[in-house]
Amino acid sequence: MKMNTRGFRSQLKDSIPVAELSPQAGAYGVPDTLRKGFTSVKNELLPSHPLELSEKNFQLSQDQMNFSTLRNIQGIHAPLKLQMEFRATKQIQRLPFLQSSNIALDTLRGNDESIGFEDILNDPAQSEVMGEPHVMVEYKLGLL
Amino acid sequence: RNALLEAEFTKLGHSLPAARKTGTTICGVVFKDGVVLGADTRATEGMIVADKNCSKIHYISPNIYCCGAGTAADTEMTTQIISSNLELHALSTGRPSRVATANRMLKQMLFRYQGYIGAALVLGGVDSAGPHLYSIYPHGSTDKLPYVTMGGDAVVSEFIEEHVQLGSCSFVIVPLVVKILWQALEYEAAYGGTQGIWVTELDHCLALRGSGSLAAMAVFEDRYKQDMQEDEAKQLVRDAIAAGIFNDLGSGSNIDLCVITKNNVDYIRPHDEANKKGVRQVYYHVS
């Protein structure tokens, strides 16, 4: 796909990023074994299952494929308009510590009429932990 | 993370608990007015029968049913997810769903997971375009045929894929394959699946079948005719599953049938109790 997809290719994950503070850090900055499991740098750099990367990128590759087909059939205007709408709907979010439904984005993508494993397993609405509300809002507003 | 833990575990020399599989015989036949699906009812966990009377014919929509072989959890969850999606789709289009739609949804999902979801399915139903029967393999390929059977050869295929490289000469490959097949047989026999393998060489490619489905296919090849009556078709499917039950350790117990016609679905469970548990003759009392 030769079109200018600045934004797409840079978002595809070909490795798992090592954050500054490792994802295993819980309270007090040490790895939280009870909640996050054992730590392993190899685990964070390389995929531990052949399908891990392809699943991480799945939604993105689907979008890429759809936009490319649309571009070939209808011309450049169709994916451009759709991408503009995607960006607009991605900005409709609740406060940072709450789970947003993303209903407009799902409708645009066509995901509002299908159920997958991401809806059944690991549903963010049912997660046991939540970010600290005040801190997250302050960070978002740049006050921190 | 699970893959990593599994790898660590086997390094230490322990073996993981065996997944519950349905090392199974399932089959389907298209007859004059519709489709007959048949399945045995044994679920195995390694060398043990985990469930003597499990239900392998799953509901997808009022006019479409699906038999599942392979890992029991995979077939169960896959058919449930596709059933939900098909219901949403039917509500959205306002028409009763088609078998081809279910087939496409299943194959796209199984291909996405590259065969890691071990679900081999026989999908059958009657829609506005007539009766249809599809067989769907774990990697996502599908066949549309008038009669299909499935069961028991998933692990063997994986072994072959892992060890055999394309393009090697026939005289190098055949002894290598025989050696691998013996290993695979031991592995599979422990899982209660394939008990014997037929290898035929056709133009530089090898064709394999597990014996569970082979026994059933043998019955079909002998007696299938186009446009059978319902009773004939039911008898044929019953005999095919019985062949699988008696000749394959991974299949057993009863025979379930599902007859789908244009306006009517007959879910006959059990259609035939091929293996009845014996009745104790005497009361052995030790005082």
Side-chain angles (χ1 to χ4, degrees):
Chain A
M1 194 175 72
K2 299 288 186 230
M3 85 180 209
N4 178 18
T5 51
R6 177 171 53 109
F8 261 140
R9 205 152 285 263
S10 59
Q11 288 170 41
L12 273 178
K13 299 176 180 57
D14 56 356
S15 68
I16 298 133
V18 180
E20 193 52 59
L21 212 48
S22 83
Q24 319 296 75
Y28 312 115
V30 286
D32 192 350
T33 319
L34 184 67
R35 291 197 190 89
K36 307 258 170 52
F38 297 111
T39 55
S40 155
V41 179
K42 175 171 163 254
N43 221 4
E44 289 161 36
L45 287 172
L46 296 172
S48 44
H49 190 275
L51 282 183
E52 185 177 344
L53 287 174
S54 99
E55 278 299 302
K56 251 185 155 67
N57 292 329
F58 188 73
Q59 186 61 60
L60 211 60
S61 348
Q62 283 289 91
D63 287 345
Q64 212 169 357
M65 190 174 74
N66 290 337
F67 281 140
S68 142
T69 323
L70 211 52
R71 196 265 201 244
N72 290 332
I73 297 175
Q74 294 186 16
I76 189 93
H77 76 97
L80 278 183
K81 278 194 187 147
L82 268 183
Q83 269 178 312
M84 192 178 75
E85 288 175 23
F86 269 49
R87 271 172 213 250
T89 51
K90 263 192 203 136
Q91 290 173 10
I92 306 169
Q93 296 278 321
R94 284 178 177 272
L95 288 173
F97 54 93
L98 289 173
Q99 177 58 28
S100 10
S101 68
N102 289 327
I103 192 166
L105 188 57
D106 275 347
T107 309
L108 265 183
R109 280 203 176 120
N111 284 346
D112 62 333
E113 286 186 343
S114 66
I115 296 179
F117 289 117
E118 61 275 3
D119 297 310
I120 306 172
L121 304 169
N122 208 23
D123 186 8
Q126 293 178 5
S127 99
E128 299 95 4
V129 295
M130 191 176 83
E132 166 67 48
H134 299 286
V135 175
M136 289 178 87
V137 174
E138 282 175 19
Y139 181 76
K140 184 179 170 202
L141 294 174
L143 298 172
L144 204 61
Chain B
R1 185 161 170 265
N2 281 341
L4 191 74
L5 285 176
E6 260 176 53
E8 294 289 311
F9 210 50
T10 40
K11 253 191 263 176
L12 292 170
H14 306 293
S15 61
L16 291 161
R20 187 198 283 204
K21 292 184 68 145
T22 53
T24 294
T25 311
I26 51 175
C27 62
V29 145
V30 173
F31 69 99
K32 190 151 163 294
D33 310 314
V35 164
V36 179
L37 299 172
D40 71 303
T41 58
R42 175 184 287 183
T44 53
E45 205 165 340
M47 299 280 310
I48 301 175
V49 174
D51 191 347
K52 288 192 281 273
N53 200 358
C54 77
S55 159
K56 297 185 190 174
I57 306 185
H58 308 286
Y59 166 89
I60 302 243
S61 91
N63 55 332
I64 304 173
Y65 279 74
C66 182
C67 310
T71 314
D74 286 345
T75 59
E76 189 73 43
M77 296 275 27
T78 308
T79 47
Q80 281 178 357
I81 285 186
I82 298 304
S83 171
S84 310
N85 278 327
L86 209 61
E87 173 81 15
L88 286 171
H89 188 257
L91 287 168
S92 169
T93 56
R95 300 179 169 108
S97 40
R98 293 197 175 200
V99 189
T101 320
N103 177 50
R104 189 142 295 226
M105 285 181 174
L106 280 165
K107 94 170 24 191
Q108 283 178 350
M109 181 178 146
L110 290 175
F111 184 72
R112 173 178 167 181
Y113 291 100
Q114 292 291 301
Y116 282 95
I117 292 190
L121 308 165
V122 165
L123 175 74
V126 179
D127 56 26
S128 53
H132 302 279
L133 188 63
Y134 292 89
S135 68
I136 304 164
Y137 297 87
H139 281 265
S141 59
T142 62
D143 284 317
K144 184 175 196 307
L145 294 164
Y147 56 93
V148 291
T149 68
M150 280 282 208
D153 59 353
V155 178
V156 181
S157 325
E158 273 175 44
F159 251 69
I160 299 292
E161 274 167 66
E162 264 179 56
H163 295 271
V164 172
Q165 287 159 321
L166 289 170
S168 343
C169 316
S170 157
F171 65 90
V172 164
I173 243 193
V174 172
L176 177 68
V177 168
V178 170
K179 189 179 115 189
I180 293 168
L181 283 178
W182 276 117
Q183 286 180 333
L185 252 188
E186 281 168 15
Y187 192 77
E188 259 275 6
Y191 273 74
T194 320
Q195 296 305 310
I197 305 178
W198 289 87
V199 179
T200 51
E201 212 187 305
L202 324 145
D203 286 338
H204 311 294
C205 70
L206 295 170
L208 303 179
R209 281 303 204 113
S211 62
S213 66
L214 192 70
M217 186 51 99
V219 176
F220 275 163
E221 288 284 356
D222 188 31
R223 285 159 46 186
Y224 174 78
K225 302 190 303 276
Q226 270 203 328
D227 289 336
M228 287 185 284
Q229 296 303 322
E230 178 174 330
D231 291 327
E232 252 181 304
K234 276 162 73 170
Q235 185 61 29
L236 179 61
V237 170
R238 186 246 157 238
D239 288 339
I241 302 283
I245 285 177
F246 290 117
N247 294 300
D248 178 28
L249 283 184
S251 322
S253 302
N254 314 325
I255 299 169
D256 289 346
L257 280 194
C258 185
V259 184
I260 310 174
T261 48
K262 198 159 178 335
N263 305 315
N264 185 30
V265 172
D266 252 336
Y267 193 100
I268 311 169
R269 176 176 157 77
H271 171 71
D272 197 338
E273 289 193 18
N275 301 319
K276 271 209 187 72
K277 205 169 171 189
V279 174
R280 202 172 284 162
Q281 303 286 345
V282 181
Y283 177 54
Y284 297 101
H285 179 69
V286 180
S287 55

